[in-house]
Amino acid sequence: MLAIVATLLLTAAGVTSSPLERRATDGLNARAVAAGKLYFGSATDNGELSDSAYVAGLSNWADFGQLTPGNALKWDSIEPSRDSFSYANGDTIVDLAAKNGQKLRCHTLVWHNQLPSWLTSGGFDNATLITILKNHITNEVTHYKGKCLHWDVVNEAFEEDGTWRSSVFYNTIGPSFVPIAFAAAAAADPDVKLYYNDYNIENAGGKSTSTQNLVKLVKQYGVKIDGVGLQSHFIVGSTPSQSAQQSNMQAFIDLGVEVAVTELDIRTDTPATSSAVNQQAKDYASTIAACKAVAKCVGVTIWDYTDKYSWIPSVFSGQGSALPWDENLKKKDSIYNAILSAWGPAPTG
Ligand SMILES: *[C@@H]1O[C@H](CO)[C@@H](O)[C@H](O)[C@H]1NC(C)=O
């Protein structure tokens, strides 16, 4: 009763939520939204969704306002044999996001990896491969029409030195596979934002310049491209500075696209030392602060939220501990709080 009276008095005084309510709605995503962003989100994958404690954390909108399916929407999962489409795994994650009121980054239509062998060893000529590419994109984008905020249309088209990456698409079609892919996606869903996504383009340099040229190329073809995804798979202590990240984001935005941080994680040698964790908190904060400072950086996604399901240890031997929650789903307070304060004040009301 006293609590009710106190709440009424606070409301009358213009305070619209009690401290308790405020705590319940505060979190990584709530802060991002309060800072004017569309979301703070996490990647996820089908195998993890049988872990109910994991799903409860993932489904907490205050922390995660957006999901990215890590593998479910890739070519080998969606079209394992030619012209035969399999949407069950993708639908599971799309439905979870809808149930949780979370936005979706749909990932990814055209990539050199995780391709079915019928496609990579089919020996298709240019015209046939273009038909296959358009058919795949049209089918998948149509299936998820209205569900995705973003589509990563093309992923990782460049080598580290900024030259075109060798792939079945580049080798057969040439650079025009990129505008052809974007045009097919735009035709299938005119409302979804169409992204190019890559890593090691978070800093000025050859690969970032090549990606800027890719944006120009798509536009030269008269085709829509809306955004560039900066994957941001970083290493503790060697992430680009906040100002370097901001000016790199701005270089893309100056070409008429938006940007998003799409796969953030910051790996270290394991077990992580306390000094590494301190540095990691600073590194997370500088990427968040860069996105906050750049109006057309629309949001940040971490590449899953817990070390329990991070891809790092399986790919980088002896490394890991890259995410804000540990292997026991326990929040790492220093990193979590660094992200919170980098976004700025908690939402009010
Ligand atoms: C394949 O065809 C497309 C569309 O006509 C064209 O833009 C591209 O240059 C062709 N690629 C090659 C290697 O001939």
Side-chain angles (χ1 to χ4, degrees), residues 4 34 69 100 193 196 204-205 238 247-248 297 305 309 318 328 331:
I4 292 169
N100 295 335
K193 300 264 189 195
Y196 175 78
S238 60
S247 58
N248 180 67
C297 178
Y305 75 91
Y309 298 120
N328 300 312
K331 191 186 285 179

Side-chain angles (χ1 to χ4, degrees), residues 3 17 28 41 51 88 110 135 148 193 218 226 232 288 294 303 307:
S17 65
L28 305 178
D51 179 340
V110 185
N135 184 54
C148 309
K193 300 264 189 195
V218 175
D226 298 295
S232 308
I288 300 297
V294 173
W303 206 241
D307 295 335

Side-chain angles (χ1 to χ4, degrees), residues 121-289:
S121 42
F124 301 112
D125 65 17
N126 189 15
T128 308
L129 189 60
I130 289 173
T131 303
I132 288 169
L133 182 69
K134 287 182 174 170
N135 184 54
H136 178 80
I137 292 171
T138 302
N139 204 299
E140 184 166 1
V141 175
T142 301
H143 182 83
Y144 290 116
K145 190 173 181 193
K147 306 275 172 70
C148 309
L149 178 69
H150 300 164
W151 256 117
D152 285 335
V153 178
V154 175
N155 195 45
E156 301 178 358
F158 297 111
E159 304 284 359
E160 285 317 281
D161 64 359
T163 56
W164 287 97
R165 184 192 291 278
S166 170
S167 72
V168 67
F169 305 110
Y170 178 76
N171 298 350
T172 309
I173 305 172
S176 67
F177 87 86
V178 177
I180 289 168
F182 275 83
D189 184 352
D191 296 323
V192 67
K193 300 264 189 195
L194 303 180
Y195 270 64
Y196 175 78
N197 190 55
D198 212 332
Y199 62 93
N200 289 350
I201 59 164
E202 299 83 10
N203 211 351
K207 201 170 177 184
S208 186
T209 302
S210 293
T211 304
Q212 290 156 27
N213 291 336
L214 178 146
V215 172
K216 293 177 196 163
L217 175 78
V218 175
K219 288 177 179 274
Q220 275 159 15
Y221 273 76
V223 171
K224 182 175 95 121
I225 177 168
D226 298 295
V228 172
L230 311 169
Q231 291 185 8
S232 308
H233 292 293
F234 290 144
I235 301 168
V236 167
S238 60
T239 70
S241 69
Q242 182 190 332
S243 67
Q245 291 182 63
Q246 280 177 220
S247 58
N248 180 67
M249 288 174 180
Q250 195 59 48
F252 287 110
I253 290 163
D254 290 347
L255 300 175
V257 292
E258 63 185 35
V259 299
V261 175
T262 55
E263 307 188 10
L264 178 63
D265 52 21
I266 307 181
R267 63 185 185 266
T268 184
D269 292 339
T270 49
T273 62
S274 61
S275 75
V277 176
N278 288 341
Q279 183 62 45
Q280 210 172 15
K282 289 181 192 148
D283 292 344
Y284 267 102
S286 68
T287 294
I288 300 297

